[in-house]
Amino acid sequence: MYFAALLARTEDGWEASDTELDDVETLSDLADLAREATPDEDTVFVLIEQEDSWFGLVRVDGEEDPRIFVSDAAAAARSAYGELLLTDELLGREPGADDGPDLDALDLDGTEEGESEEEDDDDAPTTSVSTVPHGPVGDGRILDDLGVSEKELRGLDPNDALAEIAEALGASEVLETVR
């Protein structure tokens, strides 16, 4: 079960709205969706959680690049919404690193297609796949200026994280109205 909401800071305080992410395909699309939530260049958060598993925050301040925090990258990688947030840059990978096997690294042993090798396949080298780290990734200081330290953010339980964040921001009532 997923929950996704936009939380925008305005002159009058925080405004929340639930949001559908089904049509969002990239982080850029998600940032554009957040920017549309407010006519000014106010701070907007995209809050995403998967029940009992992980939560993610995307912070958009005007036209600046979005800042991202994901509580458990490995758990998020198993979900479509999590994959939106887990960019190559966030994971410290070269862009396009998972685009398939590296043709330069293939062991071309001279056998033709259909011929068998005499060696046991268990001894053959396996293709290295970039792994997604377990635990938090991203900008742990995403909420520092709003009163939530990196240590506090990293220590939040995914079940209660968005409620605790909203409470620290003074936005718990508006967030609860869209839950």
Side-chain angles (χ1 to χ4, degrees):
M1 181 77 174
Y2 289 97
F3 171 72
L6 296 174
L7 190 60
R9 184 169 54 182
T10 67
E11 291 178 3
D12 301 325
W14 292 99
E15 292 180 9
S17 59
D18 61 342
T19 188
E20 284 292 324
L21 299 178
D22 293 340
D23 295 332
V24 176
E25 295 180 7
T26 65
L27 179 60
S28 180
D29 293 343
L30 189 61
D32 290 343
L33 180 70
R35 288 183 185 104
E36 291 170 6
T38 179
D40 301 320
E41 292 191 359
D42 294 321
T43 298
V44 180
F45 288 98
V46 179
L47 310 170
I48 303 171
E49 72 179 0
Q50 182 181 3
E51 192 173 287
D52 300 333
S53 185
W54 65 276
F55 70 93
L57 304 173
V58 178
R59 180 177 180 161
V60 178
D61 294 303
E63 291 300 318
E64 292 181 25
D65 288 339
R67 295 167 57 193
I68 306 164
F69 176 82
V70 177
S71 67
D72 186 338
R78 293 186 295 268
S79 76
Y81 297 141
E83 287 180 350
L84 284 173
L85 306 181
L86 298 174
T87 62
D88 287 334
E89 181 181 349
L90 187 70
L91 296 173
R93 298 187 300 213
E94 288 295 318
D98 283 344
D99 289 344
D102 180 4
L103 297 178
D104 294 332
L106 291 177
D107 181 19
L108 302 176
D109 62 359
T111 58
E112 295 292 327
E113 186 174 314
E115 292 181 6
S116 63
E117 294 182 30
E118 294 187 70
E119 294 179 9
D120 185 9
D121 285 346
D122 291 339
D123 295 335
T126 58
T127 304
S128 171
V129 177
S130 296
T131 58
V132 177
H134 289 276
V137 295
D139 186 353
R141 301 183 70 197
I142 194 169
L143 298 171
D144 272 1
D145 63 324
L146 299 171
V148 180
S149 71
E150 180 174 2
K151 182 178 179 182
E152 291 169 315
L153 183 61
R154 290 179 182 271
L156 293 175
D157 180 338
N159 293 322
D160 304 320
L162 297 188
E164 290 182 34
I165 290 168
E167 186 174 324
L169 299 178
S172 58
E173 288 182 25
V174 294
L175 185 61
E176 279 305 310
T177 62
V178 298
R179 265 201 191 264

